[in-house]
């Protein structure tokens, strides 16, 4: 089983997300993360899906997704073919225990403090899942009230043509 | 703008927009799409559409099924015969859920359907209102496309798109769920046919490098074998297939759904593929050097164990659906194209000569199969009639030119094996889903699709009882459908598996049947039962010569198995003859 990042471009229509996820669920493939938002072309959604599956399955999964009416294109990538990030938010109790150590921890991890209130503060870190998880462990000593992580967003290092194709469609 | 009258000529509608109800728009959309027949069953949530239909009976004939599943199977067969999408109307909730089997069947067998389901008013959506079901969610996995209409303004455009999607590319079923308020509300109407959907490319552009690569393999082949699937029939490539085969002298085998795309009496025809197919083409699948698969999808019933399937051969796969390439079988040369287009291109660059030694192997295998199986079954001398001889007799008496609608099970395999198909599109059966109860409503749809055809429905006693209420359609619309029930008082195919693989533990397969003749006569249809061989010929003759509907029950051997057979998980070349 390998980790694949699957990128899907579709119309922004009700029900299409469901159709895409059915392709995974009927094959008993668990989706590790899923992010959907409008792409660089108005009205066209971009999905980033992370899932583990056999190498022999991934091509068929992508082709089945591409078969859905409303999907423009589906592509799959291995780790080295994409640049990807996740956003993590950490809510920490703003108590007397907080001191300069926290500030340096935040700085050393490339994170930043988003909000400070009398009761809590929120730290944001953009990065790889493993690094965000590591920061979570380090912050646990301060008492993490909430930890929220986004799904992966990714852009490929290889595919450039599709953006052009999408833009042609929107013209 | 003045409200249009319902009798207004639809020809003028495209020029000037009119103000019409959603139901009226829907009905007029069907007329614009050249629909002439609709199958369905009315109910509360589709009543406005039925009301609108009342004024267009001169153009749109509605056939009232007795169960929505029957309506869908009839529409499927109608589509296959007429080459137009089959159309069904049903109400919401239970009416709509009853079409799911037909949808799944049509999806797996690439049959174009446009199913219109009524839905509760949009304000009730998601509230578990009376007869509300989430038809979009339910039908999503078994439709090529589906859409819920909640606004009257959407109807014309959605209908145009539905027909375009259902019939283009690899055909398939479409479901449009339309809320009752959208059916009742009014709007301006102007119809425009759909010719493109920006996120859908039904017809891939033929890549000539793939054609050349395929031709290179074909022209160098010493032992080629062509597997013909339903894609030939769907694309109307029968002539191109014949030209290809004769030019290259390639032996042909058909999949179950491909049957009738190539005449069974042609010297290069070698039989049916798969689990209960003919011995020669199955055995030779693991002997050929080039396997040319056209419009078929390497279904597991065709391939047996894929790990041992045609490992020695170079495989060319012509299919319009990109996702079928390398899905079940690794392909050497994929050709992404409609079968007709690909064969037309190939015919310009292929050649070949008679392959006598190779062809002889098929003949030898056939002789072996004839001696061990066919002779015993189709020319049986047992006390009881064998279902194979019934089909052989029908084949001989119709000269292989009738439309055969078979059900699922032993009767289906006997029909596929022993009917000598001569004309395209003369076999209609449920292939991918294997839906018992398919044959009778399918025969009704086929008869409506081609009023001049001699349509024969072949069922077992099990399948017949799943949809026999559709006999009422035969009677109501005076359809001359001939129905044969091969009665062995068993679910024959499951009994066969119990016999071979479950130590003859015949669990829940014995059927204590009713008097079929009396039931059919109750529907006002002439009926007869035969159980003696000496009566069979005349009974079939009487049935075929009847200008009206006719039902024939043939009491057949209980313990006969359909052979040869590839056991589950076995290789195609491990086919057993006994």
């Amino acid at each position: 089983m390998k980790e694949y990042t699957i990128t899907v471009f579709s119309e922004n229509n009700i029900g299409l997300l469901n159709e895409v996820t059915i392709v995974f669920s009927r094959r008993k493939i668990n989706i590790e993360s899923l992010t959907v938002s409008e792409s660089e072309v108005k009205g066209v959604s971009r999905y980033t899906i992370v899932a583990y599956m056999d190498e022999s399955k991934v091509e068929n999964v992508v082709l089945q997704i591409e078969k859905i009416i409303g999907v423009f294109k589906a592509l799959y990538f291995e780790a080295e073919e994409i640049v990807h990030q996740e956003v993590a938010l950490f809510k920490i109790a703003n108590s007397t225990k907080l001191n300069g150590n926290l500030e340096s921890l935040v700085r050393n991890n490339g994170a930043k403090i988003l909000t400070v209130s009398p009761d809590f503060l929120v730290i944001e870190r953009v990065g790889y899942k493993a690094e965000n998880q590591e920061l979570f462990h380090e912050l646990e000593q301060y008492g993490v009230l909430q930890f929220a992580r986004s799904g992966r967003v990714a852009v490929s290092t290889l595919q450039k043509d599709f953006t052009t194709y999408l833009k042609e469609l929107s013209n | 703008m003045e409200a249009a009258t319902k009798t207004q000529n639809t020809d003028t509608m495209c020029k000037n927009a009119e103000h019409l109800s959603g139901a009226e728009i829907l009905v007029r959309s069907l007329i614009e799409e050249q629909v002439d027949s609709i199958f369905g069953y009315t109910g509360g949530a589709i009543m406005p559409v039925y009301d609108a239909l009342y004024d267009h009976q001169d153009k749109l004939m509605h056939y009232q099924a007795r169960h929505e599943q029957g309506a869908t199977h009839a529409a499927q067969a109608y589509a296959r015969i007429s080459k137009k999408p089959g159309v069904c109307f049903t109400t919401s909730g239970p009416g709509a859920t009853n079409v799911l089997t037909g949808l799944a069947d049509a999806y797996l067998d690439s049959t174009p359907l446009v199913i219109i389901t009524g839905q509760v008013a949009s304000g009730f959506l998601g509230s578990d209102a009376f007869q509300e079901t989430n038809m979009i969610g339910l039908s999503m996995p078994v439709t090529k496309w589906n859409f819920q209409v909640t606004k009257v303004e959407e109807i014309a455009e959605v209908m145009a798109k539905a027909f375009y999607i259902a019939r283009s590319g690899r055909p398939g079923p479409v479901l449009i769920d339309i809320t009752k308020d959208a059916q009742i509300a009014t709007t301006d109407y102007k119809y425009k046919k759909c010719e493109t959907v920006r996120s859908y490319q039904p017809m891939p552009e033929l890549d000539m490098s793939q054609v050349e690569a395929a031709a290179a393999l074909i022209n160098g082949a010493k032992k080629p074998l062509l597997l013909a699937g339903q894609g030939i029939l769907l694309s109307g490539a029968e002539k191109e297939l014949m030209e290809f085969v004769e030019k290259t002298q390639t032996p042909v085998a058909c999949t179950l759904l491909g049957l009738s795309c190539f005449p069974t009496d042609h010297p290069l025809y070698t039989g049916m593929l798969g689990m209960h197919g003919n011995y020669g083409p199955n055995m030779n699948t693991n002997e050929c050097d080039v396997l040319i698969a056209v419009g078929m999808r390497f279904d597991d019933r065709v391939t047996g164990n894929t790990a041992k399937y045609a490992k020695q051969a170079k495989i060319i796969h012509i299919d319009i659906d990109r996702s079928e390439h390398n899905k079940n079988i690794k392909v050497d040369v994929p050709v992404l194209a409609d079968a007709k287009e690909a064969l037309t291109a190939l015919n310009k660059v292929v050649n070949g000569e008679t392959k006598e030694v190779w062809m002889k192997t098929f003949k030898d295998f056939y002789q072996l199969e004839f001696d061990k199986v066919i002779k015993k079954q189709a020319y049986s001398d047992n006390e009881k009639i064998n279902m194979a001889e019934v089909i052989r007799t029908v084949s001989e008496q119709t000269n292989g030119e009738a439309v055969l609608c078979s059900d699922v099970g032993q009767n289906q395999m006997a029909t596929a094996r022993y009917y000598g198909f001569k004309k395209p599109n003369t076999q209609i059966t449920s292939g991918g889903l294997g839906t018992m109860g398919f044959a009778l409503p399918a025969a009704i749809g086929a008869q409506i699709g081609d009023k001049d055809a001699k349509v024969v429905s072949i069922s077992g006693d099990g399948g017949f009882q799943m949809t026999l209420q559709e006999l009422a359609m035969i009677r109501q619309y005076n359809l001359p459908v001939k129905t044969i029930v091969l009665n062995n008082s068993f679910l024959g195919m499951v009994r066969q598996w119990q016999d071979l693989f479950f130590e003859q533990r015949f669990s829940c397969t014995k059927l204590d049947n009713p008097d079929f003749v009396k039931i059919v006569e109750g529907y006002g249809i002439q009926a007869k039962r035969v159980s003696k061989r000496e009566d069979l010929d005349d009974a079939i003759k009487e049935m075929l010569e009847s200008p009206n509907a006719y039902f024939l029950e043939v009491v057949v051997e209980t313990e006969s198995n359909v052979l040869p057979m590839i056991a589950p998980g076995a290789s195609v070349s491990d086919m057993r003859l006994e």
Side-chain angles (χ1 to χ4, degrees):
Chain A
M1 297 267 267
K2 257 186 184 173
E3 185 198 80
Y4 289 99
T5 301
I6 293 167
T7 307
V8 181
F9 294 91
S10 84
E11 299 278 11
N12 181 11
N13 287 347
I14 293 168
L16 266 175
L17 173 61
N18 199 2
E19 286 204 60
V20 170
T21 57
I22 283 172
V23 174
F24 291 85
S25 56
R26 79 176 283 210
R27 288 168 180 74
K28 302 288 283 179
I29 298 168
N30 188 44
I31 291 175
E32 300 295 321
S33 83
L34 167 65
T35 312
V36 187
S37 62
E38 193 168 68
S39 72
E40 59 272 40
V41 180
K42 195 170 164 52
V44 175
S45 297
R46 180 191 188 108
Y47 306 51
T48 307
I49 302 166
V50 180
Y52 288 89
M53 67 191 90
D54 291 334
E55 200 170 354
S56 58
K57 258 188 186 171
V58 67
E59 190 177 349
N60 185 251
V61 164
V62 162
L63 289 173
Q64 292 296 336
I65 293 171
E66 212 168 80
K67 218 168 117 169
I68 297 166
I69 310 284
V71 169
F72 294 105
K73 192 80 193 157
L75 304 155
Y76 68 94
F77 303 101
E78 293 185 32
E80 63 275 14
E81 296 168 324
I82 50 168
V83 176
H84 65 92
Q85 294 284 270
E86 290 181 1
V87 177
L89 297 178
F90 310 82
K91 182 174 162 185
I92 311 285
N94 197 356
S95 68
T96 50
K97 282 195 285 178
L98 297 183
N99 52 38
N101 289 342
L102 176 68
E103 217 174 304
S104 63
L105 182 62
V106 167
R107 200 178 319 112
N108 293 341
N109 276 282
K112 63 180 178 186
I113 295 171
L114 275 187
T115 304
V116 180
S117 81
D119 300 324
F120 64 87
L121 55 92
V122 177
I123 299 164
E124 175 209 61
R125 186 179 188 284
V126 177
Y128 294 117
K129 177 182 169 185
E131 294 166 350
N132 290 342
Q133 197 68 36
E134 181 58 32
L135 180 58
F136 168 72
H137 291 311
E138 292 190 47
L139 287 169
E140 272 183 319
Q141 60 184 296
Y142 300 101
V144 179
L145 299 174
Q146 286 183 43
F147 171 39
R149 234 179 37 220
S150 74
R152 176 180 294 183
V153 289
V155 288
S156 77
T157 56
L158 305 172
Q159 295 286 337
K160 290 178 186 170
D161 292 343
F162 189 64
T163 307
T164 320
Y165 167 67
L166 277 181
K167 281 184 178 157
E168 280 169 11
L169 284 174
S170 63
N171 290 336
Chain B
M1 185 178 296
E2 238 178 59
T5 63
K6 288 182 174 179
T7 51
Q8 185 166 1
N9 186 342
T10 54
D11 295 341
T12 60
M13 289 186 326
C14 290
K15 294 169 190 116
N16 306 302
E18 296 173 273
H19 204 75
L20 303 174
S21 73
E24 181 70 16
I25 290 171
L26 190 139
V27 169
R28 293 201 188 194
S29 303
L30 296 177
I31 295 169
E32 288 289 339
E33 295 291 341
Q34 275 83 51
V35 173
D36 51 35
S37 304
I38 300 162
F39 303 87
Y41 204 98
T42 190
I46 194 77
M47 278 177 65
V49 171
Y50 271 89
D51 184 63
L53 191 62
Y54 196 75
D55 291 314
H56 296 284
Q57 294 174 61
D58 56 331
K59 287 195 177 73
L60 293 169
M61 177 68 188
H62 179 269
Y63 294 90
Q64 182 89 18
R66 296 302 187 269
H67 188 284
E68 292 84 353
Q69 182 183 345
T72 54
H73 294 328
Q76 285 175 265
Y78 170 88
R80 291 216 220 158
I81 290 284
S82 71
K83 303 246 175 188
K84 297 197 283 190
V87 178
C88 284
F89 288 169
T90 83
T91 191
S92 65
T97 55
N98 282 345
V99 304
L100 287 171
T101 303
L103 280 173
D105 198 296
Y107 187 65
L108 282 174
D109 287 353
S110 306
T111 308
L113 292 183
V114 175
I115 308 279
I116 312 293
T117 52
Q119 182 55 280
V120 299
S122 52
F124 288 114
L125 287 173
S127 71
D128 296 331
F130 176 68
Q131 293 197 330
E132 187 210 357
T133 48
N134 174 7
M135 271 316 287
I136 295 303
L138 284 168
S139 64
M140 199 173 269
V142 291
T143 48
K144 187 175 173 186
W145 184 62
N146 66 12
F147 192 85
Q148 186 173 62
V149 176
T150 52
K151 295 186 181 76
V152 64
E153 295 81 10
E154 297 171 323
I155 294 175
E157 191 184 340
V158 166
M159 288 301 291
K161 195 172 165 186
F163 276 89
Y164 173 66
I165 289 171
R167 62 161 73 101
S168 60
R170 181 177 179 171
V174 166
L175 181 135
I176 305 301
D177 193 44
I178 172 166
T179 59
K180 198 165 179 181
D181 53 325
Q183 296 172 41
I184 293 166
T186 58
T187 190
D188 288 347
Y189 168 65
K190 204 171 182 181
Y191 199 77
K192 186 168 179 281
K193 281 209 174 188
C194 178
E195 288 168 354
T196 175
V197 174
R198 70 172 188 164
S199 54
Y200 169 58
Q201 291 172 301
M203 207 60 153
E205 200 175 319
L206 185 64
D207 180 347
M208 282 310 291
S209 69
Q210 292 178 338
V211 172
E212 284 156 16
L217 286 178
I218 292 160
N219 292 342
K222 299 278 184 287
K223 296 192 288 182
L225 175 60
L226 189 143
L227 314 183
Q230 200 199 188
I232 304 279
L233 294 164
L234 290 170
S235 68
E238 298 88 356
K239 278 185 190 162
E240 289 75 10
L241 174 66
M242 181 64 78
E243 186 186 338
F244 176 90
V245 164
E246 291 187 339
K247 213 169 171 185
T248 58
Q249 288 295 302
T250 301
V252 182
C254 286
T255 66
L256 174 64
L257 285 186
L259 285 173
S260 84
C261 79
F262 195 83
T264 52
D265 57 355
H266 192 281
L268 286 163
Y269 182 70
T270 66
M272 184 174 76
L273 292 162
M275 185 174 267
H276 293 289
N278 292 101
Y279 198 53
N282 278 308
M283 297 298 286
N284 275 342
T285 300
N286 280 355
E287 292 297 325
C288 65
D289 57 358
V290 176
L291 196 64
I292 310 151
V294 188
M296 56 85 75
R297 60 191 172 93
F298 293 108
D299 180 89
D300 54 275
R301 281 294 194 267
V302 163
T303 63
N305 184 349
T306 51
K308 296 178 186 169
Y309 185 81
K311 289 292 165 200
Q312 80 296 340
K314 292 284 182 195
I315 299 180
I316 300 163
H317 188 189
I318 299 170
D319 205 290
I320 196 167
D321 183 348
R322 188 193 301 268
S323 69
E324 291 299 344
H325 291 145
N326 298 313
K327 186 176 91 175
N328 298 326
I329 296 292
K330 187 86 184 141
V331 174
D332 295 285
V333 178
V335 181
L336 182 64
D338 163 83
K340 187 169 185 160
E341 192 184 10
L343 288 173
T344 303
L346 273 170
N347 283 338
K348 291 177 186 157
V349 286
V350 291
N351 53 57
E353 52 194 30
T354 312
K355 296 158 180 84
E356 279 175 21
V357 178
W358 177 230
M359 282 312 298
K360 186 170 181 306
T361 63
F362 288 97
K363 285 174 191 151
D364 291 346
F365 280 131
Y366 181 78
Q367 192 58 50
L368 196 60
E369 185 181 342
F370 186 86
D371 293 342
K372 296 225 172 204
V373 180
I374 299 171
K375 196 171 157 188
K376 290 178 190 166
Q377 299 204 330
Y379 302 90
S380 171
D381 55 5
N382 282 355
E383 191 191 338
K384 286 269 181 79
I385 299 169
N386 188 291
M387 56 177 71
E389 62 187 302
V390 181
I391 305 299
R392 175 183 60 76
T393 308
V394 174
S395 184
E396 287 168 2
Q397 291 199 18
T398 58
N399 192 33
E401 291 178 349
V403 173
L404 268 279
C405 297
S406 60
D407 217 82
V408 169
Q410 286 187 322
N411 65 84
Q412 179 186 35
M413 290 301 120
T415 305
R417 287 178 52 79
Y418 295 103
Y419 194 81
F421 297 97
K422 302 268 185 353
K423 288 164 66 182
N425 269 320
T426 50
Q427 192 222 209
I428 296 174
T429 196
S430 166
L433 197 66
T435 304
M436 284 176 68
F438 179 83
L440 179 66
I444 292 165
Q447 190 72 75
I448 291 164
D450 182 354
K451 295 197 169 51
D452 299 326
K454 182 79 78 183
V455 177
V456 182
S457 157
I458 308 281
S459 304
D461 44 308
F464 180 64
Q465 290 177 86
M466 287 194 173
T467 52
L468 67 78
Q469 75 284 348
E470 303 309 343
L471 288 166
M473 284 179 87
I474 293 180
R475 181 73 191 89
Q476 184 171 343
Y477 303 107
N478 293 317
L479 302 169
V481 170
K482 317 299 179 212
T483 308
I484 297 178
V485 165
L486 301 169
N487 184 1
N488 58 6
S489 296
F490 256 106
L491 299 176
M493 190 58 92
V494 185
R495 194 210 66 82
Q496 175 167 340
W497 281 51
Q498 288 169 331
D499 183 18
L500 299 173
F501 311 118
F502 289 84
E503 298 169 334
Q504 300 188 325
R505 289 154 57 88
F506 299 120
S507 178
C508 303
T509 42
K510 178 93 182 78
L511 297 180
D512 190 2
N513 286 319
D515 184 332
F516 290 125
V517 169
K518 274 189 183 166
I519 287 177
V520 176
E521 284 175 345
Y523 279 97
I525 294 168
Q526 191 180 354
K528 192 172 198 168
R529 177 186 299 117
V530 288
S531 52
K532 290 182 184 156
R533 178 164 295 114
E534 55 266 33
D535 300 332
L536 183 64
D537 262 17
D538 285 347
I540 290 174
K541 192 162 185 257
E542 185 179 315
M543 175 191 79
L544 291 171
E545 286 180 355
S546 168
N548 303 314
Y550 195 107
F551 173 87
L552 182 65
E553 176 190 351
V554 185
V555 180
V556 295
E557 270 183 80
T558 302
E559 286 161 20
S560 176
N561 289 341
V562 179
L563 292 166
M565 180 180 187
I566 300 166
S571 155
V572 284
S573 50
D574 293 331
M575 194 171 209
R576 55 198 281 181
L577 281 162
E578 38 197 1

